[in-house]
Structure formats: C-alpha cells, structure tokens
Amino acid sequence: REPVAHRRRAHPTSPAPPSTPLGAMILGCAICREAITEPLTLLQDLSTLKSGDMQPHLPQGRYYMLLPSSSSVHSVHTRAREWYVVNISSLRNTAINWSEAGGCCGLDGAKPNRMCDAGHMVGVEESDCYMAHRVLLDVASVVVLEGSERPHARLRSGPRARIVRWDTASRL
C-alpha cells in the first residue's frame, strides 16, 4: 500500500470531461426533460442518406433537419415546422405508443408513435418493410439538453444543403 502523501488525486480545479463530444447535442423531451437521444452530430453530407427498404436512412449518432412542405402526403409531417431526423438506434429512454402504431412489418409513420419513457409524444418512427428506417423528432416536442444551444440558428446561417424540404427528402 502506497503512503498517503504519494497517492494521486485529481486536482480540484481540473475541468470535468465533457458529457457530449464537441459539436454534438443530446435531445430530450420538452415536457419532462428526459434525454431521448445519444449525442448527435450534424450529418454534413446528405448524399450518404439511404432510401432502400428496411435499411437505416442515416448513420447512428447523426441527425439532419427536415422541413415539411405543403404537398406532403403524410398529414403528421405537416403539423410541425421542422423535424430532427435521427437513426432509430440513436434513441434512448423512448418507447412505442402501440395504440397509435400502424404498418405491416414495422411502423408506417402515419401518426405520432414515439414517446419518452414518461409517456410524452416526441416523434414518429418510420420502420415498415417498404421504407428506409428513421425517426422524426418534432422540434416542438424536444429540447436540446446538452451541446449546441441553438442548432436551428446555426443551421440557418450555414449552407441550405443542411436543411432539407420534405418533398425533396422523399426522393433521396
């Protein structure tokens, strides 16, 4: 056993390690503030999005913003101005609201069907057999808990390619 004087101790002024990587954010329920995602970073290259049946639409740990258009065929997508689009595997502390779930082999995304563990609706999972799998988190139902405090402002000031209109994203 080492003498007390020689034991290593953390310096009292050492900064704590950050809980989210630089440039990342964690989203939470706007009502109960429960974290509902792992740390997410903005997907810079939208050409990496996949549209094939039953495959992840985007990589885990990434997100992009989706703007609905008035021509959207899914009525749920016209209720919010913007959505955070994330990989299903990036979710934490969420559950499916089976009373609102529809689809044949998965969830068709026709109605809000994802909720935080406390039961507050936060978004829409699209994971049926005829579509790429993703979750759309309603910006009115979620808040940024850690990381970038104003991702909307940062996105709007950058290139428009980072924000995608709903009618454009359906062709990706």
Side-chain angles (χ1 to χ4, degrees):
R1 188 173 137 130
E2 211 176 353
V4 175
H6 297 290
R7 287 188 195 153
R8 291 186 162 228
R9 293 188 180 151
H11 192 275
T13 59
S14 297
S19 54
T20 56
L22 186 62
M25 66 178 179
I26 295 177
L27 297 175
C29 173
I31 297 172
C32 66
R33 301 293 201 247
E34 170 115 27
I36 60 169
T37 67
E38 66 184 8
L40 301 170
T41 57
L42 182 64
L43 180 66
Q44 299 287 339
D45 183 5
L46 296 179
S47 68
T48 63
L49 295 176
K50 297 189 174 24
S51 60
D53 295 347
M54 299 180 67
Q55 62 179 317
H57 179 58
L58 69 162
Q60 183 174 348
R62 299 301 186 112
Y63 78 96
Y64 69 92
M65 299 299 297
L66 182 64
L67 297 177
S69 74
S70 57
S71 64
S72 174
V73 295
H74 295 289
S75 62
V76 69
H77 301 302
T78 62
R79 292 184 190 145
R81 280 187 321 108
E82 297 175 348
W83 299 86
Y84 291 104
V85 181
V86 302
N87 184 303
I88 296 169
S89 299
S90 297
L91 294 179
R92 302 289 178 265
N93 307 314
T94 64
I96 296 169
N97 179 358
W98 290 107
S99 66
E100 296 295 329
C104 61
C105 301
L107 302 173
D108 63 9
K111 296 180 182 177
N113 56 28
R114 267 292 176 172
M115 57 187 175
C116 71
D117 281 346
H120 307 119
M121 281 301 195
V122 293
V124 179
E125 179 176 321
E126 297 177 342
S127 60
D128 216 340
C129 57
Y130 61 89
M131 59 179 53
H133 296 178
R134 64 186 184 173
V135 174
L136 288 79
L137 298 173
D138 182 352
V139 297
S141 300
V142 299
V143 293
V144 177
L145 297 177
E146 295 183 34
S148 174
E149 293 193 20
R150 298 197 60 217
H152 295 57
R154 184 171 48 86
L155 287 170
R156 286 194 184 117
S157 65
R160 292 278 306 161
R162 295 182 186 176
I163 298 179
V164 181
R165 290 180 50 86
W166 173 247
D167 53 355
T168 304
S170 65
R171 293 189 298 261
L172 295 175

